[in-house]
Amino acid sequence: MEILQVLLQVILGITSLLLTLMILLHRGRGGGLSDMFGGGVSSNLGASGVAERNLNRITIVLALVWVTSIVILGLITRFDAV
């Protein structure tokens, strides 16, 4: 059980870093904090529609893996203490 717990912690760490990176790669939609830091300036260097959709899909999959690993780690911790 300890090997599974360590493996899930490694997965949680990697997905946390990747999820942060993926969120920062998204283009600002306007009206939020991205405008404050210069994200409101329109640029031709932004992602195309296909690239943005793929980035959304990757972010959603990473978020699901992240949440699943947290839930499983919580269950392991809860039932391992008993």
Side-chain angles (χ1 to χ4, degrees), residues 23-79:
I23 290 171
L24 289 174
L25 284 175
H26 278 85
R27 186 170 19 135
R29 300 276 191 245
L33 287 176
S34 63
D35 286 342
M36 186 186 317
F37 299 113
V41 178
S42 64
S43 172
N44 291 334
L45 299 175
S48 68
V50 174
E52 189 72 23
R53 280 195 304 269
N54 288 337
L55 187 60
N56 286 340
R57 290 178 185 139
I58 293 170
T59 305
I60 290 170
V61 169
L62 278 174
L64 290 174
V65 171
W66 185 76
V67 168
T68 304
S69 64
I70 288 175
V71 169
I72 294 173
L73 274 171
L75 289 173
I76 289 173
T77 304
R78 169 77 168 105
F79 292 115

